[in-house]
């Protein structure tokens, strides 16, 4: 799991990453997910970026293992220095096209650019550019960095599988995996139950809960293959106006 910018991260931050394509190329975004709940941050109404041109990128434009430690050192040092010398919030990064783009929000664009250029003096081997633009709605964070609903589901899948592996679980071992989907009405819930039963699932319960209709069901599958399993359920639920709410299983 990528880790960087540690010097400016607090214990309450929730940093995570996900792969995607940016302008047709492979990309990887690493961002502070928790800041979405409190953004836009009052006064920090300018988006700021620092683009660092990698020295040894992979052929697909992502960072290489050979350069990983150097990039982590650069990011940790630069984000900490910028935060120390200018009023900024570091929100995440994108890696693609041979570049590592660091994104911030600030209330002082000129001071940010000065701090970014000063921070990069310790990394003279790297070419870079810095810039800012007014972005009071935080569109760079919400419209570019922040993952889609499906990407957030994949991130959640990865976290659960990682937790199982940390417990010594054999994630390739089949076992019952239960799922939950929430609907707004009974007819959609019933239609969904019919479909998942045809896919080999056993419906455990399908009952209203306050304003929602919750369908809990299970099937024997492998956690290692959970992305494919969930994708089918996520798609069917969406087609019937439902919200896929997650999965769980016992450790093996």
């Amino acid at each position: 799991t990528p880790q960087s910018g540690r010097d400016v991260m607090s214990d309450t931050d929730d940093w995570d990453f996900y792969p995607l394509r940016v302008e047709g190329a492979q990309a990887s975004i690493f961002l502070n997910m928790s800041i979405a709940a409190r953004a836009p941050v009052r006064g920090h109404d300018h988006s700021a970026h620092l683009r660092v041109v990698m020295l040894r990128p992979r052929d697909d434009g992502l960072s290489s293992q050979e350069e990983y430690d150097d990039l982590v050192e650069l990011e940790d040092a630069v984000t900490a220095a910028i935060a120390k010398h200018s009023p900024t919030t570091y929100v995440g990064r994108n890696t693609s096209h041979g570049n590592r783009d660091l994104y911030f929000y600030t209330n002082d664009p000129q001071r940010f650019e000065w701090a970014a250029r000063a921070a990069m003096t310790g990394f003279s081997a790297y070419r870079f550019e810095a810039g800012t633009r007014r972005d009071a709605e935080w569109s760079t964070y919400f419209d570019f960095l922040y993952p889609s609903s499906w990407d957030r589901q994949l991130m959640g899948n990865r976290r659960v599988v990682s937790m199982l592996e940390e417990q010594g679980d054999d994630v390739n071992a089949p076992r019952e995996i239960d799922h939950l989907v929430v609907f707004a009405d009974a007819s959609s819930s019933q239609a969904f139950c019919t479909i998942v039963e045809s896919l080999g699932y056993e419906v455990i319960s399908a009952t209203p809960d306050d304003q929602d209709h919750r369908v809990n069901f299970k099937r024997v599958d492998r956690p290692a293959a959970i992305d494919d399993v969930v994708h089918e359920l996520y798609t069917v639920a969406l087609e019937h106006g439902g919200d896929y709410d997650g999965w769980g299983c016992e450790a093996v």
Side-chain angles (χ1 to χ4, degrees), residues 4-9 50 72-90 102 104-106 108 110-123 128:
S4 55
R6 288 181 292 269
D7 291 340
V8 294
M9 296 180 186
L50 173 65
V72 167
E73 179 185 0
L74 183 153
E75 186 173 3
D76 285 350
V78 169
T79 54
I82 291 175
K84 181 179 179 180
H85 296 292
S86 69
T88 64
T89 301
Y90 178 49
L102 311 182
F104 307 77
Y105 278 88
T106 182
D108 190 335
Q110 292 183 334
R111 190 165 183 82
F112 167 83
E113 292 197 34
W114 171 85
R117 295 181 186 283
M120 286 299 297
T121 58
F123 300 92
F128 70 94

Side-chain angles (χ1 to χ4, degrees), residues 64-252:
S64 64
Q65 191 62 41
E66 294 83 358
E67 197 175 5
Y68 176 79
D69 290 340
D70 292 340
L71 291 173
V72 167
E73 179 185 0
L74 183 153
E75 186 173 3
D76 285 350
V78 169
T79 54
I82 291 175
K84 181 179 179 180
H85 296 292
S86 69
T88 64
T89 301
Y90 178 49
V91 296
R93 70 166 189 245
N94 171 58
T95 304
S96 64
H97 297 88
N99 301 315
R100 176 150 288 181
D101 297 325
L102 311 182
Y103 291 94
F104 307 77
Y105 278 88
T106 182
N107 64 3
D108 190 335
Q110 292 183 334
R111 190 165 183 82
F112 167 83
E113 292 197 34
W114 171 85
R117 295 181 186 283
M120 286 299 297
T121 58
F123 300 92
S124 58
Y126 285 93
R127 292 185 293 117
F128 70 94
E129 61 181 56
T132 62
R133 70 177 182 88
R134 183 166 178 78
D135 183 13
E137 300 302 317
W138 282 46
S139 61
T140 296
Y141 178 82
F142 286 111
D143 298 341
F144 176 56
L145 292 174
Y146 199 74
S148 67
S149 175
W150 173 242
D151 284 322
R152 294 196 300 275
Q153 180 60 54
L154 291 176
M155 294 163 77
N157 291 350
R158 185 180 67 239
R159 288 188 177 191
V160 175
V161 172
S162 295
M163 289 172 60
L164 290 170
E165 290 177 325
E166 289 172 2
Q167 297 176 37
D169 188 286
D170 177 6
V171 294
N172 280 295
R175 85 288 304 270
E176 284 189 346
I177 298 177
D178 63 89
H179 307 264
L180 178 65
V181 176
V182 181
F183 294 89
D185 59 82
S187 60
S188 297
S189 169
Q190 292 168 0
F192 180 80
C193 287
T194 300
I195 293 174
V196 294
E197 286 177 335
S198 73
L199 295 173
Y201 290 91
E202 176 188 346
V203 175
I204 302 170
S205 64
T207 57
D209 181 9
D210 295 330
Q211 300 299 316
D212 298 325
H213 292 260
R214 307 168 73 83
V215 180
N216 184 221
F217 53 101
K218 64 182 179 180
R219 191 179 73 178
V220 174
D221 284 299
R222 297 179 301 113
I226 198 64
D227 284 351
D228 290 337
V229 172
V230 170
H231 183 266
E232 182 175 47
L233 298 172
Y234 183 95
T235 302
V236 174
L238 193 63
E239 290 172 350
H240 289 77
D243 180 21
Y244 182 82
D245 199 44
W247 60 276
C249 65
E250 292 186 357
V252 173

